[in-house]
Amino acid sequence: MEVLGIAVAIANPCDGAVFQEGTNLAVQAMAHFDFGTITQVDFYTNGSLLGSSSSSHYSVAWSNVRAGSWNLSATARTSTGLSGSSAVVNVMVLTGC
């Protein structure tokens, strides 16, 4: 979703992806601000902070993922104090065979 010139989207994993329990994932986002700089991207799983990244290759590690249905989102923060949030990406993590 774009708010006030801020664009942020989860780039990995894809919406609808399915993984096995215990998987280690790199959750990645793309972010852009038309009127300044993105200073940080915060990543959320089911509304709880997973981690933050301040490098332009916005990514956090999600280690040993538990089974369940997960909603991933990201919020980009700018040098001018504005923020914008991504659309939710839904993933499913299954228990072993």
Side-chain angles (χ1 to χ4, degrees), residues 19-23 65-68 93-97:
F19 302 97
Q20 287 295 316
E21 185 175 37
T23 297
V65 181
R66 294 185 329 237
V93 180
L94 305 173
T95 57
C97 315

Side-chain angles (χ1 to χ4, degrees), residues 5-25:
I6 302 167
V8 59
I10 299 286
N12 186 63
C14 297
D15 190 43
V18 178
F19 302 97
Q20 287 295 316
E21 185 175 37
T23 297
N24 296 321
L25 296 173

Side-chain angles (χ1 to χ4, degrees), residues 37-83:
T37 305
I38 299 291
T39 56
Q40 180 173 303
V41 174
D42 298 325
F43 294 86
Y44 297 88
T45 54
N46 292 353
S48 296
L49 183 65
L50 173 64
S52 301
S53 176
S54 58
S55 72
S56 61
H57 300 286
Y58 306 109
S59 180
V60 294
W62 189 17
S63 301
N64 197 26
V65 181
R66 294 185 329 237
S69 178
W70 297 93
N71 302 316
L72 304 175
S73 63
T75 298
R77 303 189 186 287
T78 73
S79 57
T80 59
L82 299 173
S83 64

